[in-house]
Amino acid sequence: MKCPLCQQNQTQSIYQAGLTPVFQNKVYASQEQARKAACGPVELFACQNCSYVFNGRFDYGLMQYDGDYQNEQAHSPTFDRYLNSLIDLLQSRGFDKQSKIIEVGCGKGTFLSKLWQRGFDAEGFDTAYEGDDPRVQREYFSDKHRGREVDLLILRHTLEHISEPLAFLQNLADLCPPATQIYIEVPAFEWIVNKRAFWDVFYEHCNYFTKASLMGMFDKAEHGFLFGDQYMYVLASLDDLRGSASASTEPEMELQLLQQEIRRYRQFVSDHAPMLVWGAGAKGSTFANLTDPDGKLIEAVVDINAKKAGAFLAGSGQPIIQPEQIAATAASNILIMNENYKKEIEAQLQQLGLGDRQVYTLGL
C-alpha cells in the first residue's frame, strides 16, 4: 500500500482493531441509537521510509462533522491551564495583538475564545461550530478565502483527521501570503506506543504522526512535546513546506503489545465490574468498545461536559453521567482515561464525599 505522505510503497500493517465507531466524539440520545452508530475498520500501516502511520481502511466519505460532535475538553481546569500555556508559547515566539491569526478546524471555538480574551485578532473556520460569533465561519477554509491577511495559521488537532495531510498543507500554503507561519498540534504516536495506548487509536484519526514524519514535511521547523508528551507541535513557515516528505531513520514500529494490552484490560474490566470509566471522549469511547462491547461490565461513563449527560456512547452504548450521579451507581471502581486529570478528578471525588471509591489510571 502506498504511503499517503511520501508516496513510497514501503508500508506494512502493524495493528488491527476491527470495527469501531466512526465518531468516538458523537453521543446519542438513546441506547438503541448508540448501538446502531456507524462503524468502520481500523488497520494501521507504518511507512518504513518516512515513519508516517495511517489507517489503510479509512473512508473519508463516512466523516460528516456537525453540531452533534462533542469533543470539548475545556470544562476541565487542567485543560484550561494547558490552553493558556499554548498562548504563552505563541507570545514567546513573537506573536502579539497585532498579529492576524486564523484557526482552521477551530471546533467549538474554545481556543479562539482564549485568544480573544487576551486581546488577539483571531478568527476561525469549522463546520461543527455551534456559536454565533461572526469571527467564526461555519465552513471550510477554501479557495474563496485566498489572499486573506494572515500571520499565523493554527491547526490544533485537525491534521490527524486529514487523509492527505501534505497535500492539505500545500493547499493552505497556496491560499496564504508568503512567509505565513503555521502552528500544528497533533497526538504524538511515540506516546501511544510507549504507553501501549490502544484507547488512543480510533477511526476518525486517519493518520498518526511521529516526530520524524511531522518534521519531515518541512525544511526547518521548531518541534516540542506537550501535555505530558501526549501531544506534539511544529511551528514553521509555510514557505519551508516540502514538496514531498523526507525519509526517516527511525526504527521499524511494531504494535503487538497493543493487542496484549487490550486483552489485559478486558480482564481488568471483568475483574472490577461493575465499574465506571471517567471520560466520555474518544479515549473512553474506544476503551469501552474494545473492552466491554456489549455494555455489561462498565456501568456508566462519567463526564463533566453537561452536553453529554444523559446520552449514550457510540457502539457499546454505556450511559453518560455527571460526577454528581456517581453516588447512585453500584460501582466502587473508577478508571480514569487520561492521567493528566488524575489529581483534578480525585479532588472532585473528595468534594462529593466519594473518596472511598477505588481510582485507577490508564497507562500507569
Side-chain angles (χ1 to χ4, degrees):
M1 182 175 291
K2 182 179 288 188
C3 172
L5 196 64
C6 70
Q7 305 302 315
Q8 299 298 308
N9 290 302
Q10 298 182 39
T11 63
Q12 65 176 19
S13 178
I14 57 173
Y15 173 75
Q16 296 184 44
L19 291 175
T20 61
V22 167
F23 287 105
Q24 283 69 35
N25 283 304
K26 276 192 177 183
V27 295
Y28 296 83
S30 72
Q31 195 170 64
E32 180 181 8
Q33 289 176 326
R35 288 181 171 162
K36 291 180 179 178
C39 292
V42 172
E43 183 176 5
L44 296 189
F45 289 78
C47 178
Q48 304 305 300
N49 178 57
C50 69
S51 298
Y52 180 68
V53 177
F54 62 99
N55 181 7
R57 308 288 297 281
F58 182 77
D59 179 1
Y60 193 76
L62 297 176
M63 312 309 292
Q64 299 294 327
Y65 293 94
D66 55 30
D68 292 330
Y69 186 81
Q70 295 291 337
N71 66 337
E72 188 53 68
Q73 295 173 276
H75 299 280
S76 159
T78 299
F79 200 78
D80 186 73
R81 289 191 295 271
Y82 171 64
L83 294 181
N84 280 312
S85 75
L86 295 184
I87 299 177
D88 294 339
L89 172 66
L90 295 176
Q91 284 185 309
S92 72
R93 301 307 188 267
F95 299 101
D96 56 28
K97 295 175 184 178
Q98 282 68 53
S99 302
K100 179 62 181 177
I101 299 173
I102 292 178
E103 184 176 9
V104 175
C106 65
K108 309 304 180 186
T110 301
F111 188 59
L112 277 177
S113 296
K114 290 288 180 188
L115 289 168
W116 296 334
Q117 289 167 13
R118 292 174 60 170
F120 284 86
D121 180 9
E123 61 180 312
F125 292 81
D126 202 303
T127 58
Y129 179 65
E130 293 180 332
D132 56 7
D133 195 295
R135 291 170 290 186
V136 181
Q137 299 187 47
R138 199 174 286 108
E139 59 184 85
Y140 294 110
F141 187 68
S142 62
D143 193 66
K144 72 184 247 186
H145 306 292
R146 180 183 299 276
R148 294 282 290 274
E149 179 186 356
V150 54
D151 298 303
L152 175 66
L153 275 182
I154 294 177
L155 269 71
R156 291 191 57 257
H157 298 274
T158 298
L159 201 60
E160 64 267 32
H161 298 263
I162 306 297
S163 57
E164 299 284 346
L166 185 55
F168 178 78
L169 293 178
Q170 289 167 342
N171 181 64
L172 290 179
D174 182 57
L175 295 176
C176 293
T180 298
Q181 299 287 301
I182 188 166
Y183 172 88
I184 302 171
E185 184 180 320
V186 294
F189 193 67
E190 290 90 341
W191 182 88
I192 293 174
V193 173
N194 292 337
K195 290 287 187 178
R196 306 178 188 179
F198 66 85
W199 53 88
D200 249 45
V201 176
F202 20 88
Y203 189 85
E204 59 185 285
H205 285 186
C206 56
N207 64 55
Y208 299 82
F209 289 94
T210 61
K211 176 182 177 180
S213 59
L214 189 61
M215 292 281 283
M217 294 188 292
F218 296 89
D219 287 326
K220 57 183 178 180
E222 175 188 333
H223 175 276
F225 289 98
L226 304 163
F227 204 50
D229 293 340
Q230 290 187 31
Y231 306 154
M232 63 179 172
Y233 76 92
V234 293
L235 179 61
S237 170
L238 282 172
D239 291 348
D240 290 321
L241 188 66
R242 288 175 169 158
S244 60
S246 66
S248 166
T249 58
E250 285 190 350
E252 294 184 4
M253 288 168 288
E254 196 278 305
L255 296 184
Q256 287 184 357
L257 292 177
L258 266 68
Q259 301 284 3
Q260 296 177 20
E261 203 75 346
I262 293 173
R263 293 191 290 270
R264 186 171 78 85
Y265 271 105
R266 282 175 179 163
Q267 188 61 52
F268 176 89
V269 169
S270 178
D271 292 343
H272 293 78
M275 67 178 298
L276 302 176
V277 159
W278 193 303
K283 288 178 170 64
S285 175
T286 302
F287 182 87
N289 273 277
L290 291 178
T291 63
D292 183 30
D294 298 323
K296 296 178 179 180
L297 304 174
I298 297 172
E299 183 176 353
V301 179
V302 185
D303 203 281
I304 61 176
N305 186 346
K307 290 187 176 181
K308 293 184 178 182
F312 297 83
L313 281 189
S316 51
Q318 288 90 350
I320 302 171
I321 64 174
Q322 294 199 282
E324 294 77 12
Q325 298 173 280
I326 293 175
T329 69
S332 59
N333 299 298
I334 301 174
L335 181 63
I336 298 172
M337 287 293 102
N338 194 323
E339 62 200 64
N340 287 325
Y341 303 118
K342 185 173 187 288
K343 291 182 179 179
E344 176 184 317
I345 291 171
E346 288 179 334
Q348 193 165 7
L349 289 171
Q350 290 290 340
Q351 292 171 0
L352 292 170
L354 299 170
D356 60 333
R357 302 293 170 113
Q358 182 65 52
V359 175
Y360 301 91
T361 308
L362 279 175
L364 295 179

